[in-house]
Amino acid sequence: MNKTRFSMLLLEPGEIYFEDYSCTMNKANLQDKNAIQGRLKLCSKSLVFEPREWDHPLIKLHFKECTDIDTITTNEARNTIKVRVNQYAEMLKENILAPYKFLYEDEDFYFFFDFSSAEECLTQMQQLMRASTLHAPEHNSMIATILHSRYMRMVFDPVMMDDYTEKIICEFQTEKISPLVRHHGKLALTATTLYFQPFSNIENGLEIYGAEESPTSHLYLSFQSENDRDTVCHILEESPNVNLERVHVEEMTLQWQNGIVSNYDYLLYLNCLSDRSKNDLTQYPIFPWVVADYISESIDFGSADMFRDLSKPMGALNPDRLEKLLERYHEMSEPKFLYGSHYSAPGLVLFYLVRKYPQYMLCLQNGRFDHPDRMFNSMKDVYKNCLKNMSDFKELVPEFYDTSAKGDFLVNLYDIDFGARHDGSKVVNVKLPPWAKSPEDFVVKLREALESEYVSRYLHQWIDLIFGYKQRGAEAVKANNVYHHVCYEGSIDLDCIYDMNDRHAFEVQIMEFGQVPKQLFTKPHVKRIIPHITKQLSIKDYENYEYNLECLDTIWLHKEAVNCVLRKDDRIISVCKDGTLKVYDTVQRKQIRSVVLCSTPLSSCVMVGEHIVAVGSWDNEIYLYDVEYGRIVESFRAHDDSVNCLKWLPKEHLLISGGWDGVVRVWGNVGKTGQALRGLKAEFDHDGKISTVAFRYRRHMLEIIAGTSDGEVYIWDYSSKELINKISIHSSPVNGVCLLREDRIVTVSDAGDLNVTDLTVLNSVYQKRVSATVTSLCCDGAAVLWCGGGAGSLLQWNMTTVAQLSEHKAHDDLIRSIHYDSASKTLITASDDKSIKVWQLTQIS
């Protein structure tokens, strides 16, 4: 739990927090026995007192509401400042997020400073109080002068750096941007690291941005000038320690066109390319409405009637409304505009996200939520309003299609009292259309709609409107896509506006009204290639095929669950939960070997030579067993916890092992000419337990792939032992990984998800919940793979067409292992039901 309740979101957007003081506060008189200990925050427009005890609310005193600020010196009170106000606000009483309580009454507040000098504090407060009486442009100018003065006195503190001997290449005054908040501070660049040191202590003393420390962190900065920005970019580009991933728009567009990149990921990319970011509510990512039916009991993505016309902006979808708007447009003088409001602005973004980010709305609207009847209450009503209201043309935000968040923005997560509507009903969760069973189901179906054949066929037309050639100019007029001129990038050069009042008015209008994204395309956007089956990946053009499965044999050898199985020639080798290894001869149809390797379960097995099988065990050991002579060649301690998975590299004679200790190890000389272990070649540490391992060759380099219990996939360079990529793919353990080709992997998870990830762009190109759980995965090396689903089902998928071909009830319990034997064209499955089955594969033409 955070020790402080204060945050920059309790201030006005753009307000600056300077510093704080330890003090005690009394109200009304000096003798008040209810003195409250806490800290007083000095900000550019207000004073905020944060009590130490959470029972008390935070007190916010606006300088513009102050009638007097002065020191008090008596025998009873020394080092004290008295602040008289005619109104004030209370916030976060008992740490409950709710609208601020405004008290419109005269009140005296006494602050007894513990350490700081009241006289010095008074000077700063009176200066800010004088600034509050000025008009906004003059006020901003005065605050900027104060801030610059503080900046010039600030010295970057190298003590908190990783290595205080690091040489700082350069420093810049910057602002770190987050929604509605700008953190002023210094940016320092060294040869290896970016450091951001804020002016105030609202954040950590020093924030470090480097790949090793925080591989997923990002820093969104605003510089004082374009020259500063370009200087930093040049330094980063020239640094040998910076590995920038460059994906040109043409390359990404081609990948999207061919089906490598999903519609969702491509739209995210375009938003990012046009400088839209979730850190900036004035330029929040934009996504289209795609579904047009919010009243039906069911939804059919095969019907065009279910979808919105993507060739038109929202304001042009209703012909009657458009006619009225055009009448007004033709009567206007230049510069004309068709739509008086925008499709994306801070207020519109928070309209959708107020349940998830209520603190943003309170910040934006001065401590108040919107009127209950104007809130986001119903999908049907909102879409209807966007079609009929003369001033409502808003599009959607990415959260409507983000399945990982499960639609949490539609739910009153914090049980906030948003008030009651005109009919007396309380504002709680968003009312969904009848075809959605839950918020999660709603978002999943919207995502399916976004990736549907219809949307894929016409999405380029919407891209033309928002990011492309129909965004502005004559083509925008033809497409009825004209907004107020101040919304367009470059339409107003603020640097050329010298009148402070005019400049401020334009800045406020741009911020509140919304901004058109930076134009990315000046020619019609390419169409997406629509294959016969919509979900197609641009992997090698394998022939579409599937296998017919015929069960040749059901083998009952084990007394417990069978954890792993493989086939070598006519022999089937399996390991069991009871610690036994069995060898079955498919010609004689009988068991020919049985050995108890240990008293703990055996997890995995793999052939490491002509007759040697390596077996992983829960006793942390790897056993090498000679199938031909029926003896244990050797056993060795491989991990500090259970050995969970094994993989053999015949070309290099290397054995990969993964353990519950979070380590992947690579062993050399295992099984070579029947020899035992000769040495540990490499080891790689991970955050979670290792659940599956694989490998790939890339540009003649060997890379080790590991899936973990955290749902992540790690890719390591075997030669340099360096981490190439860490990808968060699933929210549950990764139970299998297959390499479709050099740059594409398929993973399955404990939650039943199948995911295809393109390793060149680190994007998921396909994801689907295929079963209640998936416990095993196997590929034929071409395009077909098999998944062990819930309740013993065996799923067959063709990954060229990304379609499930069949589902067999193969076992009576979970399938723990699937092995494909190319020589015999058989599939071997092993299950918790203690059985092993041999399936003959016949290709269906």
Side-chain angles (χ1 to χ4, degrees):
M1 181 179 294
N2 292 330
K3 295 181 179 180
T4 178
R5 290 177 288 165
F6 177 78
S7 83
M8 297 283 284
L9 290 171
L10 297 177
L11 308 179
E12 292 184 13
E15 186 174 358
I16 299 167
Y17 164 52
F18 291 118
E19 55 190 295
D20 71 348
Y21 311 99
S22 175
C23 64
T24 302
M25 185 197 76
N26 274 350
K27 287 172 59 177
N29 62 75
L30 293 173
Q31 307 302 323
D32 192 339
K33 296 181 180 180
N34 297 316
I36 303 173
Q37 289 184 317
R39 301 192 72 86
L40 182 65
K41 317 289 182 179
L42 178 65
C43 308
S44 59
K45 296 182 180 180
S46 62
L47 294 169
V48 178
F49 179 73
E50 180 187 18
R52 182 178 302 173
E53 300 296 328
W54 285 15
D55 291 343
H56 301 290
L58 279 74
I59 304 295
K60 186 175 184 180
L61 312 174
H62 276 280
F63 283 121
K64 64 182 180 181
E65 309 298 344
C66 295
T67 56
D68 185 45
I69 302 178
D70 208 346
T71 55
I72 299 292
T73 303
T74 66
N75 292 333
E76 297 83 8
R78 296 182 179 180
N79 206 34
T80 302
I81 289 180
K82 172 186 173 183
V83 180
R84 173 167 291 176
V85 296
N86 53 35
Q87 69 178 66
Y88 60 97
E90 294 182 350
M91 309 175 292
L92 297 179
K93 185 176 182 180
E94 297 181 348
N95 204 36
I96 296 174
L97 193 62
Y100 305 163
K101 181 180 179 181
F102 294 91
L103 293 94
Y104 301 95
E105 58 190 28
D106 294 334
E107 187 67 82
D108 292 338
F109 293 88
Y110 297 87
F111 298 99
F112 305 82
F113 291 84
D114 296 331
F115 309 109
S116 302
S117 166
E119 290 291 342
E120 293 180 4
C121 298
L122 178 66
T123 301
Q124 299 179 69
M125 291 181 187
Q126 289 179 335
Q127 184 182 29
L128 294 170
M129 182 178 173
R130 289 194 299 273
S132 71
T133 63
L134 303 174
H135 293 297
E138 290 84 0
H139 175 270
N140 293 341
S141 177
M142 185 172 179
I143 297 302
T145 302
I146 296 172
L147 189 64
H148 182 70
S149 174
R150 286 173 173 261
Y151 170 76
M152 296 304 294
R153 298 194 304 270
M154 178 184 179
V155 178
F156 189 86
D157 186 2
V159 174
M160 300 180 68
M161 297 168 61
D162 279 353
D163 181 359
Y164 66 88
T165 63
E166 277 187 284
K167 181 181 178 182
I168 295 178
I169 299 173
C170 54
E171 297 180 20
F172 298 92
Q173 180 180 356
T174 59
E175 298 174 1
K176 186 167 76 73
I177 308 299
S178 58
L180 300 177
V181 172
R182 291 174 173 260
H183 301 281
H184 296 262
K186 274 197 173 184
L187 179 74
L189 277 75
T190 71
T192 61
T193 311
L194 287 172
Y195 295 95
F196 179 77
Q197 182 173 323
F199 285 169
S200 60
N201 62 353
I202 185 63
E203 294 190 320
N204 298 327
L206 196 65
E207 295 192 32
I208 304 170
Y209 295 86
E212 292 183 2
E213 290 83 0
S214 183
T216 58
S217 68
H218 62 277
L219 185 61
Y220 191 38
L221 294 171
S222 174
F223 290 87
Q224 294 293 301
S225 67
E226 290 186 10
N227 183 61
D228 287 355
R229 180 200 63 190
D230 294 343
T231 300
V232 172
C233 288
H234 179 72
I235 292 172
L236 293 176
E237 288 174 345
E238 296 299 319
S239 172
N241 297 306
V242 176
N243 183 20
L244 297 176
E245 183 180 352
R246 299 182 182 276
V247 181
H248 295 289
V249 61
E250 295 86 359
E251 179 184 350
M252 181 65 81
T253 299
L254 184 60
Q255 292 173 346
W256 169 78
Q257 183 187 24
N258 291 335
I260 290 179
V261 176
S262 66
N263 292 338
Y264 176 80
D265 288 327
Y266 188 56
L267 290 177
L268 281 181
Y269 173 80
L270 293 182
N271 273 283
C272 181
L273 200 64
S274 63
D275 301 328
R276 314 292 291 193
S277 168
K278 288 188 177 182
N279 283 4
D280 188 352
L281 295 181
T282 65
Q283 299 192 79
Y284 205 80
I286 308 161
F287 269 63
W289 289 89
V290 295
V291 173
D293 185 344
Y294 297 93
I295 58 176
S296 298
E297 294 293 330
S298 60
I299 188 165
D300 177 14
F301 295 137
S303 171
D305 295 337
M306 297 295 297
F307 295 96
R308 164 252 181 113
D309 185 348
L310 291 166
S311 68
K312 299 177 181 178
M314 285 299 295
L317 292 179
N318 183 341
D320 294 334
R321 179 177 64 175
L322 178 62
E323 183 180 356
K324 297 175 183 177
L325 291 169
L326 286 170
E327 288 178 5
R328 184 184 67 180
Y329 173 80
H330 292 305
E331 293 173 357
M332 285 183 183
S333 57
E334 297 291 344
K336 297 181 178 182
F337 61 89
L338 191 57
Y339 308 117
S341 61
H342 203 252
Y343 48 75
S344 178
L348 303 180
V349 172
L350 293 182
F351 170 82
Y352 290 128
L353 303 182
V354 63
R355 290 168 176 81
K356 187 169 185 175
Y357 303 115
Q359 67 274 25
Y360 293 168
M361 183 64 84
L362 291 176
C363 176
L364 187 68
Q365 298 197 157
N366 192 28
R368 300 172 175 87
F369 293 122
D370 207 347
H371 189 281
D373 284 321
R374 291 196 299 268
M375 289 187 66
F376 180 24
N377 293 306
S378 161
M379 280 302 303
K380 180 188 72 172
D381 294 344
V382 169
Y383 186 70
K384 179 180 179 181
N385 201 60
C386 289
L387 292 181
K388 295 187 176 182
N389 192 294
M390 293 294 292
S391 60
D392 190 353
F393 316 105
K394 58 180 172 286
E395 294 279 8
L396 298 182
V397 291
E399 284 77 2
F400 280 86
Y401 304 98
D402 183 4
T403 56
S404 64
K406 301 181 180 181
D408 57 356
F409 72 100
L410 301 163
V411 182
N412 188 1
L413 297 169
Y414 307 106
D415 197 26
I416 294 174
D417 184 3
F418 290 111
R421 303 184 66 185
H422 68 281
D423 59 1
S425 61
K426 291 193 66 176
V427 175
V428 283
N429 302 334
V430 176
K431 185 177 181 181
L432 302 175
W435 46 259
K437 299 176 183 178
S438 65
E440 181 178 4
D441 181 59
F442 174 71
V443 173
V444 166
K445 286 177 178 173
L446 281 187
R447 180 65 171 271
E448 290 178 4
L450 182 65
E451 306 297 342
S452 67
E453 180 177 346
Y454 179 91
V455 174
S456 296
R457 191 180 299 277
Y458 299 108
L459 185 58
H460 65 283
Q461 296 180 340
W462 185 83
I463 294 173
D464 287 336
L465 295 169
I466 306 300
F467 303 104
Y469 81 111
K470 292 183 179 180
Q471 183 197 85
R472 58 181 67 198
E475 293 295 337
V477 175
K478 292 178 185 177
N480 297 316
N481 194 37
V482 182
Y483 296 85
H484 198 285
H485 73 284
V486 300
C487 299
Y488 294 91
E489 183 184 46
S491 63
I492 297 177
D493 188 351
L494 292 175
D495 293 334
C496 295
I497 300 177
Y498 301 105
D499 185 280
M500 296 176 63
N501 291 298
D502 290 345
R503 181 186 176 105
H504 177 72
F506 278 120
E507 287 176 340
V508 171
Q509 188 172 5
I510 291 172
M511 175 181 170
E512 294 183 354
F513 187 83
Q515 299 178 51
V516 171
K518 180 170 68 178
Q519 189 174 27
L520 302 179
F521 310 103
T522 55
K523 297 179 180 179
H525 194 279
V526 297
K527 299 179 181 180
R528 195 173 197 191
I529 298 172
I530 307 298
H532 295 298
I533 300 179
T534 306
K535 303 286 189 178
Q536 181 168 353
L537 303 178
S538 60
I539 60 178
K540 187 177 180 180
D541 190 19
Y542 295 114
E543 180 184 0
N544 285 344
Y545 64 93
E546 65 176 290
Y547 294 110
N548 180 58
L549 277 72
E550 178 187 357
C551 185
L552 298 180
D553 199 359
T554 301
I555 306 167
W556 298 90
L557 301 179
H558 295 278
K559 298 179 181 179
E560 297 289 343
V562 187
N563 286 332
C564 190
V565 67
L566 64 86
R567 178 167 186 166
K568 173 64 174 173
D569 300 328
D570 294 330
R571 295 171 177 176
I572 293 176
I573 303 167
S574 57
V575 295
C576 179
K577 191 175 181 181
D578 62 9
T580 62
L581 178 147
K582 306 271 188 179
V583 182
Y584 180 84
D585 191 296
T586 58
V587 177
Q588 302 180 49
R589 298 177 72 92
K590 70 175 185 178
Q591 174 180 299
I592 59 173
R593 293 273 187 257
S594 178
V595 59
V596 178
L597 294 181
C598 62
S599 60
T600 61
L602 302 177
S603 62
S604 48
C605 59
V606 61
M607 295 301 299
V608 297
E610 188 65 26
H611 305 296
I612 305 295
V613 60
V615 180
S617 171
W618 283 19
D619 64 1
N620 312 346
E621 299 273 318
I622 290 179
Y623 295 86
L624 301 180
Y625 181 78
D626 191 319
V627 176
E628 186 70 21
Y629 293 99
R631 63 186 180 90
I632 298 175
V633 176
E634 187 178 349
S635 67
F636 57 93
R637 184 180 179 88
H639 288 269
D640 295 328
D641 205 336
S642 301
V643 180
N644 195 43
C645 47
L646 298 171
K647 200 75 174 181
W648 174 244
L649 285 69
K651 181 180 177 182
E652 289 84 1
H653 285 272
L654 295 175
L655 177 66
I656 307 173
S657 64
W660 285 359
D661 56 1
V663 179
V664 169
R665 290 192 168 99
V666 183
W667 312 89
N669 297 327
V670 179
K672 189 175 181 181
T673 65
Q675 297 179 24
L677 175 69
R678 285 290 181 262
L680 176 63
K681 300 297 183 181
E683 66 177 15
F684 309 99
D685 293 323
H686 304 74
D687 297 330
K689 298 177 180 179
I690 306 302
S691 51
T692 184
V693 290
F695 65 94
R696 71 166 177 165
Y697 297 98
R698 182 169 172 263
R699 301 191 186 101
H700 307 293
M701 295 191 309
L702 173 62
E703 294 178 357
I704 308 299
I705 303 172
T708 72
S709 58
D710 296 329
E712 297 174 326
V713 170
Y714 291 71
I715 303 174
W716 300 88
D717 186 314
Y718 172 71
S719 298
S720 67
K721 312 299 187 291
E722 292 181 350
L723 178 64
I724 299 173
N725 281 306
K726 174 184 172 184
I727 316 169
S728 294
I729 298 179
H730 297 282
S731 58
S732 61
V734 181
N735 285 339
V737 56
C738 279
L739 197 68
L740 283 182
R741 51 178 281 180
E742 181 182 290
D743 55 5
R744 198 178 302 275
I745 59 172
V746 178
T747 54
V748 292
S749 75
D750 211 43
D753 295 317
L754 181 146
N755 192 293
V756 182
T757 303
D758 189 289
L759 300 181
T760 61
V761 293
L762 301 180
N763 274 336
S764 291
V765 297
Y766 184 80
Q767 57 184 1
K768 187 176 181 63
R769 180 70 54 84
V770 298
S771 182
T773 185
V774 179
T775 50
S776 51
L777 178 68
C778 180
C779 183
D780 71 346
V784 173
L785 60 81
W786 297 272
C787 307
S793 62
L794 181 65
L795 311 178
Q796 182 179 196
W797 278 70
N798 185 306
M799 297 314 296
T800 300
T801 57
V802 195
Q804 181 174 314
L805 304 175
S806 62
E807 179 175 355
H808 295 269
K809 176 65 175 175
H811 290 269
D812 295 327
D813 209 334
L814 295 177
I815 299 174
R816 291 293 177 185
S817 179
I818 307 173
H819 177 84
Y820 171 73
D821 183 61
S822 57
S824 62
K825 288 292 182 182
T826 57
L827 197 71
I828 318 299
T829 57
S831 170
D832 279 358
D833 66 7
K834 309 174 188 178
S835 73
I836 299 167
K837 291 190 178 183
V838 183
W839 305 85
Q840 184 65 58
L841 301 177
T842 306
Q843 185 174 330
I844 302 175
S845 58

